[in-house]
Amino acid sequence: MEWLEASTENCTVQRTLDVVGEKWTLLILRDAANGVSRFDDFRRHIGLSEAVLSDRLRKLTAAGILRTVPYQEPGSRSRNEYRLTRKGWDLWPVLIALRQWGETYAADPEGPVLDIHHSACGAPVRVVVECAEDRAALTPRDVTARPGPGAHRRS
């Protein structure tokens, strides 16, 4: 079966984008990965409306990507912080890959807003696609893509 003959109704890329494929969602995840956890801080830093932020935080929490943790400032009512779950942290390489692409093709002439380096040696961090067996770095020319068991013929 060729790729164009396969149905993409069950595509994991499409299903992932249904959850995290919106601009504001990715910016919330970026900020959460960099330590932002409170509603007002997300709103102020990203610059989106309360309604949109509430909607995105609700969806990310329902998807298990963020979890809520109650906190209370002295003299104020109890509120929730939003923290990445394991499932949320598993999106970190996606954010690093987007950053890496952006620094190559959409960079600010003044340089990056955030430098990410390996704590142990100080080298820049980058995303690499690798073979699960021998961990060799791969390019698109090194792989074979074919419809998997979840692919069905298009009608």
Side-chain angles (χ1 to χ4, degrees), residues 4-149:
L4 290 177
E5 295 172 348
S7 169
T8 56
E9 291 176 17
N10 196 30
C11 173
T12 54
V13 172
Q14 180 176 333
R15 291 183 7 214
T16 302
L17 289 173
D18 288 345
V19 178
V20 299
E22 199 272 331
K23 170 187 169 180
W24 298 121
T25 301
L26 290 170
L27 294 177
I28 291 167
L29 293 173
R30 175 206 61 193
D31 277 15
N34 286 300
V36 177
S37 62
R38 296 187 176 178
F39 185 93
D40 289 338
D41 293 335
F42 282 117
R43 189 176 51 79
R44 190 171 36 258
H45 194 248
I46 299 171
L48 70 167
S49 73
E50 287 186 24
V52 172
L53 178 58
S54 292
D55 179 65
R56 298 313 183 278
L57 289 172
R58 188 172 28 260
K59 287 179 180 175
L60 288 167
T61 302
I65 293 168
L66 293 176
R67 65 183 171 90
T68 58
V69 177
Y71 76 94
Q72 187 171 10
E73 296 286 342
S76 297
R77 66 180 173 84
S78 180
R79 295 176 179 230
N80 285 322
E81 288 186 331
Y82 297 89
R83 297 189 187 158
L84 290 168
T85 62
R86 167 98 178 156
K87 188 176 178 180
W89 277 112
D90 282 348
L91 286 164
W92 185 73
V94 175
L95 297 170
I96 298 299
L98 286 169
R99 180 181 176 277
Q100 184 175 312
W101 185 92
E103 287 180 4
T104 301
Y105 299 105
D108 186 313
E110 295 181 25
V113 172
L114 184 67
D115 279 323
I116 300 176
H117 291 82
H118 182 207
S119 298
C121 72
V125 172
R126 65 185 178 92
V127 173
V128 176
V129 176
E130 67 179 21
C131 173
E133 180 79 18
D134 65 13
R135 302 188 68 126
L138 304 173
T139 70
R141 286 187 282 274
D142 299 320
V143 302
T144 302
R146 60 184 174 265

